[in-house]
Amino acid sequence: MDHKLNNTHQKTLTQFFHEEKNTPSIEDDNDLHSPSFHHLSLQLHEKNHLSPNHNLNLNLNLEAAMSPLMPQSPESIWSHSPLWTPSHPSLLYCCISSLHRDGDIYSIAVSGDLVLTGSSSRRVHAWQPLDCHAKGYIHASSGDVRAMVAHAHMLFTSHKDHKIRVWDMRNGKGNFRPRKVTTLPNASHFKSFMSRPITPQYKVTSKTITPQHKDIISCMAYYLVEGILYTGSFDRTVKAWRLNEKKCVDSFIAHGSNVNDMVVNQQNGYLFTCSSDGTVKMWLRVYGENSHALIKVLCFHTYPIYALALSVSPSQKSFLYSGSSDGCINFWVQELSCRYNHAGLLQGHRFAVLCLVTLENLLISGSEDSTIRIWRREKAKANHECLAILEGHRAPVRCLGAFLQKDDKFAMSFLVYSASLDQTFKVWRVKLLPAEMKKSDYGDDDDDMEGENKISEFEKSPVLSPSWVKKKLQCRSLHKFL
């Protein structure tokens, strides 16, 4: 049954990309600028972290979250990882390329033999994976590309005009010549949707919601089986777009604040969203319908959450990671019946965790403290360990990408792509030698863990640019820095 569904879906997408339908798009002349990401990373952070009434606020938030409409994740006993650990001798890394761009890079997407970067300009640049030689670029009518998703020959980009553009990246003779397929929402869809009211999932009052987002589209996720593109925005809503119909099939208010990131589990269709309201929510499309239901609220603290990542192990067990403004990474493990239970906390970053990406059993995190950390998940007991800290950026690491090199038979070799608010785009080559690979595949006993705990913890200051430190301190001037 599933095989038949996939064949039908692929056929529909092929017809979708071969259609040559010229429909005028509605351009938004309102040149709105979203708040800076630096400002977002400080929302509620100082209040929750430095306020003398922190414990009282935390208790009130927990009590308010006990509503039947907001099911809770079970409590767990979590453990701290060291503040800093030296790089393992079996892990080698180096920065092989550093490009300086005019303007901030907001998004990175890896697709086959291409690496794409979206920035504040109207161009989406394409690079070769290894040496980052320019392959070409996409020129859109609107800039500020905050989110991108690539799948096979498809590329989805979000823009300043609060619209999504779909590109066909198939090209001949090695040339990068993408073709814009459509803009969502298009003119005909916009007119037909204007009068249709949509009732949010857990609001008492109904409100007519148009298919076009009202604020910056901050994140996207593509569900391959159903051909659905999900978009999240600072307007607190999540929208589902069915590509073969070229229209928005569902729109709902997902959070009480900005929707910052989202991921979808390709195995079962579960959609996870995170927000500045401090929650991670789990959604599922109602069977036989287009609407989505809230399944669970994963709430462990009150700090804003900026990044999500999902990792699926060979045993089909998935791990969900979330990065928050306190510099911590929480993770949940999928148990029986698709339940996600809180399993631990990774501590190491000084400032907010802004981006996460997974690669097999590795987690890569980028932070406002300008560093990138590589974490390894052990198979036994789901323990995590920081293998390396990549330093080189002089401002917050805004987005990450990873590319696995399969031609290396003697080590796990991969590339890490990072973009920072210092307006640089860096490529890191990382090799994990067999000794470490064997340890991660089969797990270790507690003997090695005992030796690891003997590592002395000490502080290592990140290399931040003076201008960024000045801005950081100015934003904290209303509070006493402890």
Side-chain angles (χ1 to χ4, degrees):
M1 181 67 181
D2 294 337
H3 179 70
K4 183 178 179 180
L5 177 61
N6 290 337
N7 290 339
T8 304
H9 168 62
Q10 291 175 0
K11 181 179 179 181
T12 305
L13 282 183
T14 302
Q15 296 173 351
F16 167 70
F17 274 99
H18 281 290
E19 288 180 1
E20 296 288 343
K21 183 177 180 180
N22 298 323
T23 56
S25 60
I26 300 177
E27 298 293 336
D28 189 357
D29 296 331
N30 191 10
D31 190 17
L32 295 177
H33 292 276
S34 64
S36 65
F37 200 87
H38 171 71
H39 174 71
L40 292 174
S41 63
L42 296 176
Q43 286 182 353
L44 302 179
H45 175 68
E46 294 298 335
K47 182 185 294 183
N48 291 335
H49 188 63
L50 301 177
S51 173
N53 297 326
H54 169 67
N55 294 331
L56 177 60
N57 294 334
L58 179 59
N59 294 332
L60 291 177
N61 287 326
L62 290 177
E63 292 177 1
M66 293 302 292
S67 168
L69 295 177
M70 299 180 66
Q72 297 299 304
S73 58
E75 296 181 358
S76 66
I77 300 176
W78 46 267
S79 59
H80 293 276
S81 63
L83 291 178
W84 187 84
T85 56
S87 298
H88 283 255
S90 297
L91 187 140
L92 308 174
Y93 68 89
C94 65
C95 181
I96 62 175
S97 181
S98 182
L99 306 176
H100 189 276
R101 304 300 305 167
D102 295 331
D104 296 328
I105 297 177
Y106 294 134
S107 54
I108 298 175
V110 180
S111 176
D113 58 347
L114 289 176
V115 178
L116 302 122
T117 57
S119 65
S120 54
S121 70
R122 297 182 179 182
R123 291 184 177 182
V124 176
H125 289 271
W127 315 88
Q128 292 181 354
L130 183 58
D131 52 18
C132 277
H133 285 172
K135 295 279 291 184
Y137 60 87
I138 299 172
H139 186 81
S141 59
S142 179
D144 213 14
V145 183
R146 296 279 176 148
M148 290 194 303
V149 171
H151 175 73
H153 59 271
M154 296 183 296
L155 176 66
F156 310 97
T157 58
S158 68
H159 297 263
K160 189 176 183 178
D161 56 5
H162 310 159
K163 294 182 180 181
I164 305 103
R165 286 163 174 80
V166 184
W167 310 87
D168 184 357
M169 295 190 296
R170 284 178 295 190
N171 51 72
K173 300 180 180 180
N175 297 324
F176 182 70
R177 295 178 180 176
R179 176 177 64 91
K180 188 177 77 169
V181 178
T182 188
T183 301
L184 300 175
N186 53 42
S188 58
H189 180 207
F190 190 89
K191 293 178 181 179
S192 63
F193 203 92
M194 282 291 291
S195 60
R196 191 179 83 174
I198 297 180
T199 304
Q201 295 290 335
Y202 51 88
K203 290 289 184 179
V204 178
T205 59
S206 62
K207 182 179 180 181
T208 301
I209 302 178
T210 66
Q212 182 168 338
H213 284 288
K214 298 180 180 179
D215 207 335
I216 290 295
I217 299 175
S218 55
C219 52
M220 294 190 292
Y222 179 61
Y223 184 35
L224 174 62
V225 176
E226 297 291 339
I228 295 178
L229 177 69
Y230 292 100
T231 58
S233 170
F234 286 175
D235 62 9
R236 305 178 299 158
T237 66
V238 169
K239 299 183 186 295
W241 308 81
R242 192 174 294 278
L243 293 183
N244 57 358
E245 300 177 12
K246 296 184 181 180
K247 70 176 184 179
C248 179
V249 294
D250 192 21
S251 178
F252 53 92
I253 298 178
H255 289 273
S257 187
N258 301 337
V259 180
N260 295 323
D261 202 1
M262 60 170 54
V263 291
V264 62
N265 192 329
Q266 299 294 338
Q267 294 179 338
N268 48 36
Y270 283 107
L271 174 69
F272 299 91
T273 60
C274 70
S275 170
S276 297
D277 62 11
T279 63
V280 176
K281 294 187 178 182
M282 181 176 175
W283 308 85
L284 183 64
R285 186 177 64 87
V286 179
Y287 180 75
E289 299 181 11
N290 290 323
S291 60
H292 292 72
L294 176 63
I295 304 299
K296 195 174 187 179
V297 176
L298 307 176
C299 183
F300 195 73
H301 53 55
T302 59
Y303 294 102
I305 301 175
Y306 295 129
L308 288 178
L310 189 68
S311 175
V312 181
S313 65
S315 61
Q316 306 302 318
K317 178 183 291 186
S318 61
F319 296 81
L320 178 68
Y321 299 91
S322 69
S324 54
S325 65
D326 60 346
C328 295
I329 302 172
N330 285 274
F331 67 96
W332 289 262
V333 179
Q334 177 186 352
E335 302 296 343
L336 297 177
S337 303
C338 295
R339 293 184 57 186
Y340 283 80
N341 294 328
H342 189 271
L345 180 99
L346 308 180
Q347 188 180 33
H349 286 293
R350 288 291 194 88
F351 299 147
V353 177
L354 305 182
C355 48
L356 295 171
V357 64
T358 59
L359 192 65
E360 294 189 354
N361 67 318
L362 299 178
L363 172 70
I364 307 170
S365 59
S367 171
E368 190 184 6
D369 63 13
S370 80
T371 66
I372 302 166
R373 286 178 176 254
I374 300 177
W375 312 80
R376 183 195 62 203
R377 182 182 70 248
E378 296 180 4
K379 188 174 181 180
K381 301 180 182 180
N383 292 326
H384 290 70
E385 186 178 12
C386 182
L387 297 179
I389 302 175
L390 311 185
E391 296 179 302
H393 286 293
R394 295 179 60 83
V397 179
R398 177 62 181 85
C399 51
L400 290 171
F403 176 77
L404 181 64
Q405 295 178 296
K406 299 182 180 180
D407 56 348
D408 196 337
K409 299 180 180 179
F410 303 101
M412 180 181 177
S413 180
F414 58 97
L415 300 173
V416 176
Y417 307 97
S418 62
S420 168
L421 295 186
D422 60 8
Q423 298 184 353
T424 62
F425 175 62
K426 295 182 181 294
V427 184
W428 312 78
R429 175 180 283 174
V430 185
K431 283 184 177 290
L432 190 59
L433 300 183
E436 289 301 311
M437 293 173 63
K438 183 176 180 180
K439 180 178 178 182
S440 63
D441 290 339
Y442 298 101
D444 274 1
D445 295 332
D446 293 336
D447 296 339
D448 292 339
M449 296 300 296
E450 182 179 355
E452 178 186 342
N453 293 333
K454 295 180 181 179
I455 299 176
S456 60
E457 298 181 3
F458 59 93
E459 296 182 354
K460 185 171 182 179
S461 301
V463 182
L464 295 172
S465 62
S467 60
W468 179 259
V469 174
K470 183 178 180 181
K471 292 179 181 179
K472 187 77 175 178
L473 295 177
Q474 287 177 350
C475 293
R476 290 183 172 180
S477 61
L478 297 179
H479 306 278
K480 292 182 179 180
F481 183 72
L482 300 179

